[in-house]
Amino acid sequence: MNPTTEHTEDTENAAPAPWHSRWYSAAKRGGLTVIASCLVSEALTILSAFFRGSPGMFVRLDWLFLLAPVVAAAWGFLAPRKYAQKPPLRVRVEVFALAVFLITAFIGLLTAAWFFFHSSEKEFRGEAFTPEVWSFCHDRLHLAPDADLRPAGFLLGGFQDKFVQAKFLTGEPDPARLFDTNAVDLSDVRPGGYAANIDLPSDNGRGRSSGPRWWTPAGEHAVSGRARFRDEDADRRECMYIAVDALPDGDHALYIFWFES
């Protein structure tokens, strides 16, 4: 057989070279990761409903959902998958269109949610407390009307699930003299008590990852813990953690984190 003919036959029978595209792999992996991030986020939201006593366990994961699609797209671009044959043009167009739609929708929804969430926040500092804020503190947080409390800050936020961060200065270290004990049970508030939301990670003043600038709880509290509502219906719907910190000048700071779901 002619060597030239043999070489031609071998070339015709050889398997086609594997096809790959950096942009195709980046679009496909990035788009699929957006879907996975949304599903995981929803799963954590559902799980958090079963851990109401420790809601801080699922916080600070939001940046992972933002970063995951970027990492997946970069992985697809740097290490594209090789296919035995080139996908049809229709399939490639659909993958790119779906990826663009998902990523754009994902960024748009996150941006809208961020603006909506922060526009719904209401913050009051010190003497700027209004009668409505004081009414909320007495009716929902059950602070004693005659307690020695000097307001330092109040933040109301959330959309479906509302939350409140409040801080007061006081000369009274005993929480029983600061709250209406006919409405709340303070038996879990003690030295070394667990104050989940009050002890959220802090960013040391570089932003607002865990609260406003006046939210500066100490690493160790004089007393802290969960205040349980004596009204059973309220205790099912609401959760409140408190902490009392001793200050260098001999005064005390009362921190309250309340949320409703």
Side-chain angles (χ1 to χ4, degrees):
M1 182 181 290
N2 190 314
T4 304
T5 303
E6 182 179 356
H7 177 71
T8 303
E9 291 177 350
D10 289 342
T11 303
E12 292 176 350
N13 295 330
W19 178 88
H20 71 275
S21 167
R22 295 183 184 276
W23 293 108
Y24 182 81
S25 292
K28 190 171 184 178
R29 291 177 187 174
L32 291 175
T33 307
V34 168
I35 298 175
S37 295
C38 292
L39 292 176
V40 172
S41 177
E42 287 300 316
L44 290 179
T45 300
I46 294 172
L47 285 175
S48 66
F50 295 95
F51 293 90
R52 291 185 61 190
S54 180
M57 65 185 301
F58 294 119
V59 300
R60 308 307 304 149
L61 293 176
D62 51 344
W63 64 274
L64 289 177
F65 302 132
L66 293 172
L67 185 62
V70 177
V71 172
W75 174 41
F77 186 81
L78 296 174
R81 177 184 174 185
K82 294 183 178 180
Y83 296 85
Q85 59 184 5
K86 188 176 183 178
L89 177 61
R90 177 182 59 82
V91 173
R92 284 178 282 146
V93 171
E94 288 176 352
V95 167
F96 278 106
L98 181 61
V100 170
F101 171 76
L102 288 173
I103 294 173
T104 303
F106 186 59
I107 295 174
L109 286 173
L110 287 176
T111 303
W114 187 90
F115 278 108
F116 185 86
F117 179 80
H118 285 275
S119 65
S120 65
E121 287 187 353
K122 297 179 180 179
E123 183 178 353
F124 304 85
R125 299 193 181 193
E127 298 303 323
F129 271 39
T130 64
E132 290 75 19
V133 171
W134 276 116
S135 178
F136 186 97
C137 291
H138 294 144
D139 296 341
R140 305 298 295 274
L141 306 184
H142 299 291
L143 291 172
D146 57 349
D148 170 26
L149 292 168
R150 304 184 299 280
F154 181 95
L155 176 67
L156 170 65
F159 174 50
Q160 285 184 313
D161 301 334
K162 295 186 181 300
F163 73 91
V164 162
Q165 288 176 267
K167 178 182 178 180
F168 299 87
L169 300 179
T170 178
E172 177 56 65
D174 184 4
R177 294 183 176 273
L178 303 175
F179 289 87
D180 179 4
T181 54
N182 293 318
V184 293
D185 177 6
L186 301 175
S187 58
D188 288 341
V189 180
R190 59 186 184 278
Y194 181 58
N197 297 81
I198 291 174
D199 293 333
L200 288 176
S202 173
D203 61 1
N204 298 320
R206 289 189 293 270
R208 276 185 54 175
S209 64
S210 61
R213 292 188 179 276
W214 45 262
W215 187 262
T216 55
E220 294 184 5
H221 311 297
V223 293
S224 58
R226 179 176 177 179
R228 298 186 178 275
F229 300 98
R230 298 191 186 277
D231 183 333
E232 293 184 2
D233 183 58
D235 202 51
R236 284 193 295 269
R237 293 181 294 102
E238 304 174 31
C239 185
M240 183 167 68
Y241 288 94
I242 67 175
V244 177
D245 291 350
L247 302 178
D249 61 1
D251 222 348
H252 291 81
L254 168 66
Y255 292 91
I256 304 172
F257 194 107
W258 170 95
F259 66 91
E260 179 182 46
S261 60

